[in-house]
Amino acid sequence: MDAHDLITRNAAEVVTEEEVEEIAADLEERSSSGSRTQSGDPEGKRAYVGYEPSGVLHIGHMLGANKLIDLQEAGMEVVILLADVHAYLNGKGTFEEIRETATRMQEQFVAYGLDEERTEFVLGSEFQFGEEYTLDLHALELETTLSRAERAMSEIGSGDSVTVSQAVYPLMQALDIEYLDIDLAVGGMEQRKVHMLARDTLPSIDYEAPTCLHTPLISELSTGIGKMSSSSGVTISMEDSTEEIEDKVNGAFCPAGEVDPEPTEEDEARNNPVLEIFEYFVFPRFDEVVVARPDEYGGDLRYDAYEQLVSDFASGELHPADAKSALARYLDSLIEPGREKLMEQRGG
RNA sequence: CCGCCCUUAGCUCAGACUGGUAGAGCAGCCGACUGUAGAUCGGCUUGCCCCCCGUUCAAAUCGGGGAGGGCGGACCA
C-alpha cells in the first residue's frame, strides 16, 4: 500500500484531498531516495492527535491509534498530545491528578501497538504556558466570536452551561497544531468543527491552515443509532475483561444480512456496529480473519479483506452469531496487551 | 446588584393551589421467541422529592433562609 492509501484508508474525510496528496508525494519521494524518516528530522512530516488524559483507553482512542499506526507505516512522525491543560479547562480535575493519568495513558498507547521509538508524547503544559503561546492565544481570542468557539466544542450539549474555559479550549487546540509543527491534524469526526475553526482562524494570525484527517465514529453498539460515546451507553475499553467483551459484542445491534440497516420508525439512521468494528479495527490489524463456525452450519470461514466478509454477511452466508463471536475474539486480542498493562499499573 | 422562572427515578416531566413519607413515559434489567442483537409479548428494579431551619400529630407539598441553573435589567417595541 502506498503512502497516500495508508494515510486515507478508513478515513471519514480529509481536508483537503490536495493537501494530503502533497504530503503523500513528499513521503514517497523521501522513501524512494532512501532517506528513512528519523524522529526529529526537520524535513519529516508530522501528524498529531490530542487526547485529554484518561485512565483507561477506550475504543475511540484505539481507533485514533489505528490511524496513527497507518501514518507511521507511511513514514510520518507521530505526536500524541496528552492534553493536560485542556482536561483542566474542561473540569477534569487538578493538574496532579490529570498528569498521573497522562502517564498511564501513554503506556497504554504503547501497549496497544504504537511504536514507542517513533511516537512522541507531549504534555500540553510543556509548551502551552509559554509567553509566546499565550500572546498568540489572546490574538486568536480576538479573532473568534464566543458563539463560534462554543460551536466548536462538540462536548457541550445544548442546555449545558458553558464556561469561558471551554471557549478557550478549541482555540488552544488550533494553536497546538502550529506549536507542535504539525503537517496533519488527526481526530475523530467530532473534531471537525475544531479543525475548521483552526483552518479559519490560524491564517488570521499569520499561521498556515492545517491539513486535517478525520476518522469515522463507531455507531452506538446496542442500537446502531448515533455514535458510541465514552460517557453514555455501552462502550468498549481496555479495562474490559474477555467476558465483558463477549457480552458487549453479543449484545450489539446486528440484523442478519443487513449491511445498511433500515432507519428506525422515528427516521433515525442506523448502522451495523459489528461490521464497522470489523472494518475499522480488525482488518487493519490482522492479515487474515478466521470466523469459527460450528460444523452444522458449514465450518470455519476465512477472509483476508473486509469486503469479502461484508459480501458473505449480505448474502446470509455469514450469520451474525458467528460474526460476533469472531469479533469478540479479535477485539479481545487487540485489547489484551493494554489490559495487562492496566492491571500492572493498578497493581503497582 | 436587582427582578422573574426552574430544581422530584439514569432522562423528560406529573404531583404542590386543597399537607397523610411519590407517579407516568422513555431508558435499564430478567424471561419467552428468534442460531446474534433488534422488533414483539410477559415480568421486575430504581428515588438524601436541591440543602438547612420552622409550622404541624404529619411536609415533595405551607413559611423563612441558602445553593445551583435559566432568562431578563439602556434604547427600540
Side-chain angles (χ1 to χ4, degrees):
Chain A
M1 208 178 290
D2 69 16
H4 181 267
D5 290 348
L6 277 168
I7 293 172
T8 57
R9 82 155 158 183
N10 286 346
E13 82 170 343
V14 121
V15 183
T16 61
E17 174 60 31
E18 289 70 27
E19 294 169 23
V20 168
E21 280 169 11
E22 270 179 48
I23 292 172
D26 187 85
L27 291 169
E28 288 293 341
E29 190 181 323
R30 294 166 61 79
S31 82
S32 64
S33 70
S35 61
R36 187 173 180 280
T37 302
Q38 299 294 317
S39 183
D41 184 343
E43 301 291 309
K45 292 294 179 188
R46 287 160 65 82
Y48 111 114
V49 64
Y51 294 113
E52 287 185 23
S54 72
V56 179
L57 253 57
H58 59 67
I59 196 162
H61 298 119
M62 297 183 235
L63 185 58
N66 286 343
K67 177 44 66 188
L68 296 181
I69 291 169
D70 286 342
L71 298 178
Q72 284 179 334
E73 205 175 317
M76 295 190 82
E77 295 172 32
V78 160
V79 179
I80 293 183
L81 173 66
L82 302 168
D84 57 344
V85 179
H86 284 96
Y88 179 75
L89 290 174
N90 207 17
K92 297 294 171 63
T94 65
F95 268 103
E96 257 185 33
E97 294 162 350
I98 293 166
R99 282 183 190 168
E100 194 185 340
T101 60
T103 306
R104 296 180 179 195
M105 183 178 228
Q106 173 170 346
E107 292 173 346
Q108 286 177 47
F109 268 119
V110 172
Y112 184 69
L114 278 167
D115 183 348
E116 198 168 8
E117 303 297 311
R118 300 164 71 187
T119 308
E120 186 182 332
F121 290 91
V122 180
L123 214 50
S125 53
E126 286 173 27
F127 65 95
Q128 289 163 344
F129 294 141
E131 182 175 327
E132 195 190 343
Y133 185 98
T134 303
L135 285 173
D136 273 345
L137 179 58
H138 291 326
L140 271 189
E141 290 163 5
L142 221 38
E143 297 293 332
T144 312
T145 64
L146 252 188
S147 61
R148 180 75 196 269
E150 205 176 306
R151 269 192 296 138
M153 271 291 298
S154 58
E155 291 188 32
I156 300 172
S158 59
D160 290 352
S161 57
V162 187
T163 58
V164 173
S165 69
Q166 288 173 312
V168 171
Y169 189 114
L171 298 183
M172 289 180 59
Q173 284 182 274
L175 216 47
D176 291 344
I177 298 169
E178 177 63 31
Y179 275 73
L180 293 170
D181 191 25
I182 295 306
D183 300 286
L184 182 67
V186 176
M189 276 298 272
E190 82 284 353
Q191 295 298 315
R192 80 182 304 276
K193 282 183 180 170
V194 170
H195 287 158
M196 295 311 159
L197 177 68
R199 285 181 67 88
D200 282 353
T201 55
L202 283 179
S204 69
I205 60 169
D206 294 326
Y207 292 135
E208 264 183 60
T211 304
C212 308
L213 184 154
H214 300 136
T215 57
L217 302 177
I218 305 297
S219 304
E220 217 285 310
L221 243 199
S222 59
T223 62
I225 303 165
K227 302 307 174 192
M228 202 189 291
S229 150
S230 54
S231 55
S232 70
V234 178
T235 192
I236 289 171
S237 83
M238 282 214 172
E239 65 184 344
D240 289 338
S241 65
T242 300
E243 205 174 32
E244 283 172 320
I245 300 276
E246 285 168 354
D247 286 349
K248 287 178 179 181
V249 170
N250 183 47
F253 174 71
C254 188
E258 292 186 41
V259 176
D260 237 335
E262 294 294 308
T264 63
E265 289 172 16
E266 288 79 34
D267 214 36
E268 292 169 302
R270 286 189 158 204
N271 292 300
N272 187 319
V274 172
L275 295 179
E276 288 178 335
I277 297 172
F278 265 114
E279 181 174 15
Y280 300 127
F281 288 86
V282 179
F283 281 96
R285 297 288 297 274
F286 296 91
D287 291 330
E288 185 187 50
V289 173
V290 179
V291 175
R293 187 168 62 171
D295 288 338
E296 60 170 311
Y297 298 119
D300 294 357
L301 295 164
R302 290 167 186 280
Y303 304 103
D304 50 39
Y306 171 68
E307 290 68 29
Q308 298 169 1
L309 182 144
V310 166
S311 128
D312 265 11
F313 185 83
S315 74
E317 174 67 16
L318 174 59
H319 189 275
D322 297 324
K324 282 181 173 181
S325 66
L327 179 62
R329 203 158 42 81
Y330 282 96
L331 256 187
D332 185 59
S333 74
L334 284 172
I335 282 171
E336 189 181 61
R339 181 167 51 217
E340 278 172 17
K341 173 57 76 178
L342 198 59
M343 284 167 61
E344 182 188 313
Q345 288 170 346
R346 286 176 175 171

